[in-house]
Amino acid sequence: MTISSKEVNAEEEEDVSLLDLPELALECILQRLSPSGLCSMARVCTSLRDRCRSDHLWEKHMKQKWGRVIGPAAYREWQWHVASRKRPSLLKKGNKRGLFRSLFSVCPLSWIRPKLESSGEPSCSLSVDSIKAWYLSLESGKLWFPAQVHNRENGHLGFVMSCYDALLSYDSCTDTFRARYSPQGQQTIEENIPWHRLRAPPIDVPPHILHVSDCLNDLRPGDHFEIQWRKNKELPYGWWYGIISHLETCNGNENHCCCHNNDMLILEFNQYSPGSQWRRIVINRKNHQEEGNEADGFYGGIRKICNKEEISTWKSFWPTQVLQ
């Protein structure tokens, strides 16, 4: 009787399911799973599959891994990429809020089949507009998304201390990115770009559009900034790092400096030698628009950098020797 009782108890213990746990305990377990863990757990049963696809679970992973490089432009690219796969007739049926959900339940996901997903799970059962689908599409490298790259083309001297827009694709095998830059003669592709060279665009402005400067009256000597620059008007802008300098008529004494009251503003790029044509430019803070010429290029909008982390990132790319 004792042996038989133990066997019954053992069988009962084996029948205990993960779903028998209290709701809070199960939720805590799922929140601690990695993306690959969630994908594996989703294959256990229908109930866990639905739970493991929840947006709030994947939102955390999205922010942790992709938050630094994903901006509004990347999200628009994702939406466009998904919508472009749908039948035109269906586009008329969606409402403003539920448009994508009404569209994405129809078409299979063979075009974004991720490496983390098992072929055993039907692709069409995953809502295409879910955060999980977006995460796995980025992870698979099949979605090219817009972001910006510091010191493009492996630190080419012509791009030191700059940040340019590009289309990026992730390589999970090397944990690096490939970039396609806007052509300057011919299309440029760069491989093996590490995470620290990437950022989401801090301003949601297309690379060919002039940024309207809203900080000119606030700039003082010592302030850090980025300014748009392009070689000619057919090319997109890049963002270049610099520091506001004192006027030549000022001795630099903080107690007597009146540079902030002057209409003229000195933009200095200290990565260049003092005699370089690229070392400094003078602009009028009252009526600054795009200015320049075909020889020296065209300077556009200015963005003041207040965030210490951003300033530190820029300084990490400082060249080992002064540029000419």
Side-chain angles (χ1 to χ4, degrees):
M1 290 294 296
T2 302
I3 294 176
S4 176
S5 178
K6 289 182 179 181
E7 289 177 350
V8 171
N9 289 337
E11 290 177 359
E12 290 177 351
E13 290 177 2
E14 289 177 358
D15 290 336
V16 174
S17 167
L18 187 65
L19 296 175
D20 294 330
L21 291 174
E23 187 71 22
L24 182 59
L26 178 57
E27 182 68 18
C28 287
I29 292 174
L30 297 180
Q31 287 179 356
R32 285 164 172 76
L33 292 178
S34 65
S36 59
L38 284 172
C39 290
S40 297
M41 186 70 78
R43 295 193 292 271
V44 173
C45 65
T46 302
S47 178
L48 285 175
R49 182 194 66 192
D50 294 338
R51 289 173 179 268
C52 291
R53 291 174 175 176
S54 175
D55 278 353
H56 79 274
L57 292 176
W58 285 92
E59 184 176 7
K60 178 189 72 172
H61 295 298
M62 194 72 180
K63 289 180 179 179
Q64 286 179 347
K65 182 161 187 176
W66 298 100
R68 282 186 61 255
V69 300
I70 293 297
Y75 182 63
R76 287 195 298 271
E77 181 70 18
W78 162 246
Q79 290 183 318
W80 176 87
H81 188 59
V82 170
S84 68
R85 309 294 298 190
K86 308 303 163 232
R87 294 179 228 169
S89 60
L90 291 177
L91 288 173
K92 302 177 182 179
K93 298 182 180 180
N95 56 46
K96 291 183 180 179
R97 176 174 173 80
L99 172 62
F100 289 103
R101 290 191 179 278
S102 66
L103 296 178
F104 299 159
S105 60
V106 180
C107 199
L109 292 182
S110 58
W111 55 280
I112 60 166
R113 192 182 306 278
K115 296 177 181 178
L116 289 178
E117 282 281 26
S118 167
S119 58
E121 185 177 355
S123 58
C124 59
S125 61
L126 176 61
S127 178
V128 186
D129 62 338
S130 68
I131 296 178
K132 177 183 179 181
W134 189 17
Y135 181 101
L136 297 178
S137 184
L138 290 167
E139 187 78 18
S140 71
K142 294 184 179 181
L143 177 67
W144 290 78
F145 63 94
Q148 292 180 344
V149 183
H150 286 278
N151 289 8
R152 59 176 282 183
E153 298 177 40
N154 293 314
H156 186 290
L157 288 179
F159 299 105
V160 173
M161 301 307 292
S162 71
C163 199
Y164 273 79
D165 288 87
L167 283 176
L168 295 161
S169 173
Y170 180 62
D171 184 350
S172 60
C173 295
T174 61
D175 193 29
T176 60
F177 294 81
R178 63 185 69 87
R180 294 202 301 245
Y181 299 105
S182 296
Q184 298 194 28
Q186 61 181 8
Q187 188 178 65
T188 303
I189 298 178
E190 182 180 353
E191 304 277 352
N192 302 315
I193 302 172
W195 282 87
H196 74 272
R197 285 180 52 203
L198 306 184
R199 73 175 186 181
I203 298 177
D204 191 20
V205 176
H208 284 86
I209 302 300
L210 177 71
H211 167 60
V212 179
S213 308
D214 57 1
C215 63
L216 297 179
N217 291 330
D218 300 328
L219 292 173
R220 296 170 176 262
D223 284 342
H224 303 257
F225 69 89
E226 299 176 9
I227 187 170
Q228 291 176 313
W229 181 86
R230 57 182 173 180
K231 188 175 181 180
N232 61 60
K233 294 196 174 185
E234 284 69 46
L235 295 176
Y237 288 108
W239 289 93
W240 294 75
Y241 169 79
I243 297 177
I244 303 299
S245 183
H246 291 275
L247 296 168
E248 293 182 359
T249 55
C250 179
N251 61 11
N253 188 314
E254 293 184 3
N255 297 324
H256 300 92
C257 177
C258 296
C259 293
H260 59 282
N261 295 324
N262 197 296
D263 288 349
M264 306 312 293
L265 199 60
I266 305 295
L267 310 182
E268 191 148 25
F269 306 91
N270 293 324
Q271 63 268 33
Y272 294 99
S273 62
S276 172
Q277 69 180 97
W278 309 109
R279 173 75 177 206
R280 58 166 50 189
I281 62 170
V282 183
I283 67 168
N284 190 314
R285 70 169 87 216
K286 295 298 182 182
N287 56 14
H288 172 66
Q289 295 293 325
E290 183 182 62
E291 53 189 85
N293 52 61
E294 294 293 336
D296 298 330
F298 296 87
Y299 295 89
I302 298 174
R303 170 181 174 261
K304 182 179 179 179
I305 309 175
C306 301
N307 187 288
K308 292 182 178 180
E309 185 177 347
E310 274 193 272
I311 295 172
S312 177
T313 298
W314 273 113
K315 289 182 176 180
S316 69
F317 298 108
W318 201 262
T320 56
Q321 57 185 359
V322 178
L323 306 176
Q324 299 302 315

